[in-house]
Amino acid sequence: MKVTTLISQEEISNKVNELALIISNDYAEKELLVVGILKGSFVFMADLIRNLSIPCRCDFVKLSSYGKETVSSGEVKMDLDISSRVEGENVLVVEDIVDTGLTLSKLKEILASRQPASLRVCAFLDKSSRRKVPVEIDYRGFEIPDKFVVGYGLDCDEQFRYLPYVGIIEEDS
Ligand code: 5GP
């Protein structure tokens, strides 16, 4: 299996700085609760929060949809909920990649029902051509083509999360 670079480490670093600056300005004087969707978002979230110039609290949820397959099953269930109180909080959901939109729309629905002061989404990657349900992304890293990508937290059967760049898997011929 060969991984070809799609987004370099430098491009990622510049984009994370850019997003963190915008988010820090938007939430100036506010307290932020950053909610990462496990597992894929942990690398992006770690870099993002360290570039914010505002304090934040962090929590995580785990939603399952993919398993070992590279196509969505269409079903989303919550495997791990956050322990933080959401009511009255400014919540920023951090997602690695928005594909069909099913995961994010399900999580937004759950969190919105808990009456946050605000609820926004920061997604590292967006594969908008594959969307099945409309979902608003407030802060977007990169729009990518309809290819299965790995690296920077994203896996293929738990491999490749450690890559510092985003790449496309190519099967050996
Ligand atoms: P959605 O619910 O939007 O269809 O899927 C979101 C989840 O599917 C992401 O959090 C991610 O775990 C997985 N996913 C979607 N596209 C890709 C991809 O190209 N590569 C990897 N590694 N995971 C993906």
Side-chain angles (χ1 to χ4, degrees):
M1 238 188 243
K2 192 168 147 251
V3 180
T4 312
T5 305
L6 179 68
I7 308 168
S8 72
Q9 199 170 352
E10 193 186 356
E11 287 174 294
I12 293 173
S13 165
N14 291 339
K15 184 63 78 177
V16 171
N17 286 339
E18 196 184 299
L19 289 171
L21 190 65
I22 299 168
I23 293 168
S24 300
N25 285 332
D26 288 358
Y27 289 92
E29 313 298 322
K30 288 189 179 140
E31 283 190 20
L32 192 56
L33 173 62
V34 181
V35 176
I37 307 181
L38 292 172
K39 297 178 189 175
S41 74
F42 80 103
V43 176
F44 173 51
M45 181 163 152
D47 282 347
L48 185 72
I49 60 163
R50 286 178 294 171
N51 280 280
L52 293 176
S53 56
I54 51 164
C56 67
R57 287 179 293 128
C58 299
D59 212 328
F60 293 93
V61 288
K62 193 164 191 301
L63 298 142
S64 50
S65 61
Y66 260 68
K68 290 185 178 179
E69 304 302 318
T70 55
V71 288
S72 176
S73 65
E75 269 182 46
V76 178
K77 69 179 174 63
M78 193 182 249
D79 298 330
L80 173 76
D81 201 347
I82 54 171
S83 52
S84 312
R85 215 178 73 122
V86 166
E87 194 180 339
E89 301 293 335
N90 293 296
V91 178
L92 179 67
V93 173
V94 174
E95 172 67 307
D96 54 356
I97 181 166
V98 185
D99 184 20
T100 62
L102 288 162
T103 307
L104 201 51
S105 70
K106 175 80 177 176
L107 181 62
K108 281 184 93 173
E109 184 190 306
I110 294 168
L111 293 176
S113 73
R114 299 178 188 175
Q115 273 109 41
S118 67
L119 178 59
R120 289 189 189 160
V121 172
C122 177
F124 175 55
L125 302 175
D126 185 6
K127 244 195 242 180
S128 61
S129 60
R130 297 228 334 137
R131 206 70 94 245
K132 282 189 186 153
V133 288
V135 62
E136 196 175 337
I137 299 172
D138 304 277
Y139 308 100
R140 181 192 332 257
F142 301 92
E143 171 75 42
I144 62 161
D146 182 9
K147 300 269 185 204
F148 192 80
V149 293
V150 293
Y152 201 63
L154 289 132
D155 76 312
C156 179
D157 200 7
E158 292 304 324
Q159 303 276 354
F160 306 116
R161 290 193 197 276
Y162 52 84
L163 293 176
Y165 57 88
V166 172
I168 297 172
I169 292 185
E170 279 163 27
E171 302 291 335
D172 295 326
S173 48

